[in-house]
Amino acid sequence: MSHLPWRAAMEQALYGPQGFFVREDSGPAAHFRTSVHASPLFAQAVLRLTRWVDEALDRPEQLTVCDVGAGRGELLLALGAQARAADPGLADRLRLVAVERAARPRGLPAWITWTDRIEPVPAGLLFANEWLDNVPCEVAETDDDGVLRYVLVDPATGAERPGGPLDAADAAWLRDWFPGGTAGGTRGTPVERAELGRWRDEAWTEAVGAVGRGLAVAVDYAHTRADRPPFGTLTGYRDGRQVDPVPDGSCDLTAHVALDACLDAAARANPRVTHSLWTTQRDALRALGVSGARPPLALASSDPAAYVRALASAGEAAELTAAAGLGSFLWGVQAVDMRDLPSLGGWQTLVS
Ligand SMILES: C[S@@+](CC[C@H](N)C(=O)[O-])C[C@H]1O[C@@H](n2cnc3c(N)ncnc32)[C@H](O)[C@@H]1O
């Protein structure tokens, strides 16, 4: 096959007829470990956030939790089970909706709604963990004459070659979000290579637009103006290992998200957005009660089984909040038609 622009190649490789994410055999969990797979503590934290939204909205008759890019429904399964155990009153009012391009997994309980389109969330929480990094995007590189061009890729081998110059919309996006425009990156270095975020901006804008009242939260590998990567981040994952990004359907293809651009686009498009902020997963999860502190040693002699459980839980919390790992993910949070914000610590405000 001849070379394709990266966006078309990603679309085909991830979501085409035998695409990596939609084939029945390969759920995301088989190839990489997200926070959802790492520990039920993640769902517990999302449940805490759900309860905060519930209170802030004065306990609506129905509260929707919509998980966009839901994988095989793991987050909603855990959240629903935990809600039933901890707060049956809330569980009865919860509507759990998984939005996913893959088919509904066999055996998923009926209390989880499965759809391939984002539906209205009249009151509640829209949550997207590691969704936007899988929204296909173009890649641009500066050629020897300083001209920014699309990068084309051979789907069979991953070999790249330069394509045409960027169109006006992509050039504008890059100028807006990589300071210095076409000739300068964040630290005054040239933008040698960059992933163009327009399609992530559009995807996120649509998601936030679905929320009537409540929070929209995107959690991802991400960067903001302060730390743009000058050489791009596109990579592949297969069987738990990072691999070269070959768009042949054999691996996940992911590129970090310009999260501030997504939040900005959604806020500009939607006057009902009242707050736009981001923080690290480390701060967000700590504020939501996920602690990596070791249990007191005295517990080991008074209740050895409880000690072992607490130790395992502390290990999982440490993985979720590790500064060099999942803890460095960014949580982008937008409140729609809400007065207050949850206290998730370390907030950075969107400056556009
Ligand atoms: C990296 S996985 C994350 C799965 C899950 N959220 C987790 O954290 O374990 C990304 C998922 O997003 C889904 N996805 C990508 N674009 C989508 C879209 N436009 N609508 C619904 N699902 C989408 C993919 O099929 C894939 O299952």
Side-chain angles (χ1 to χ4, degrees), residues 110 114 116 313 336:
W114 196 266
D116 61 359
S313 173
V336 182

Side-chain angles (χ1 to χ4, degrees), residues 46-339:
V46 179
L47 179 58
R48 283 222 174 94
L49 190 58
T50 304
R51 289 167 101 163
W52 182 89
V53 174
D54 189 41
E55 295 286 331
L57 296 181
D58 292 329
R59 298 168 183 263
E61 238 170 72
Q62 187 173 66
L63 190 78
T64 301
V65 177
C66 174
D67 181 9
V68 184
R72 296 297 183 262
E74 296 94 334
L75 175 63
L76 292 182
L77 268 174
L79 185 140
Q82 292 179 17
R84 280 155 190 248
D87 191 345
L90 170 65
D92 285 347
R93 290 184 293 114
L94 276 183
R95 175 173 150 79
L96 302 180
V97 181
V99 182
E100 179 47 64
R101 292 182 77 166
R104 182 185 181 97
R106 270 192 284 269
L108 197 72
W111 42 266
I112 295 181
T113 301
W114 196 266
T115 165
D116 61 359
R117 293 275 150 80
I118 297 175
E119 295 176 1
V121 177
L125 172 66
L126 179 142
F127 198 85
N129 190 61
E130 293 201 34
W131 167 45
L132 291 172
D133 67 292
N134 287 129
V135 172
C137 63
E138 297 293 1
V139 178
E141 265 188 21
T142 307
D143 70 12
D144 292 344
D145 299 324
V147 177
L148 273 157
R149 295 182 174 278
Y150 292 109
V151 177
L152 308 182
V153 61
D154 178 346
T157 64
E160 294 181 338
R161 67 173 170 78
L166 298 195
D167 69 20
D170 282 332
W173 187 91
L174 206 67
R175 251 195 325 274
D176 286 349
W177 293 105
F178 277 69
T182 56
T186 33
R187 296 172 207 92
T189 53
V191 178
E192 287 201 14
R193 182 178 166 105
E195 289 98 24
L196 302 175
R198 276 204 301 131
W199 298 274
R200 278 87 183 272
D201 295 0
E202 282 173 16
W204 184 243
T205 297
E206 185 200 341
V208 174
V211 179
R213 290 193 73 202
L215 290 185
V217 180
V219 180
D220 233 306
Y221 303 92
H223 44 77
T224 64
R225 272 209 174 98
D227 62 352
R228 296 281 181 233
F231 308 113
T233 59
L234 180 69
T235 191
Y237 283 94
R238 185 190 308 120
D239 299 330
R241 288 213 190 83
Q242 195 165 2
V243 295
D244 286 339
V246 180
D248 61 358
S250 70
C251 62
D252 176 22
L253 297 165
T254 160
H256 294 197
V257 178
L259 190 64
D260 47 354
C262 294
L263 301 187
D264 182 70
R268 281 174 194 275
N270 187 341
R272 292 174 304 111
V273 171
T274 41
H275 307 273
S276 302
L277 303 127
W278 70 84
T279 188
T280 62
Q281 167 145 313
R282 185 182 176 80
D283 282 350
L285 288 187
R286 284 188 169 167
L288 290 167
V290 175
S291 159
R294 289 172 70 94
L297 215 58
L299 189 63
S301 36
S302 65
D303 187 345
Y307 179 76
V308 170
R309 278 197 305 277
L311 205 56
S313 173
E316 290 172 6
E319 179 182 353
L320 289 173
T321 55
L326 293 170
S328 69
F329 275 36
L330 294 185
W331 283 42
V333 178
Q334 291 191 294
V336 182
D337 199 10
M338 291 186 74
R339 248 193 338 253

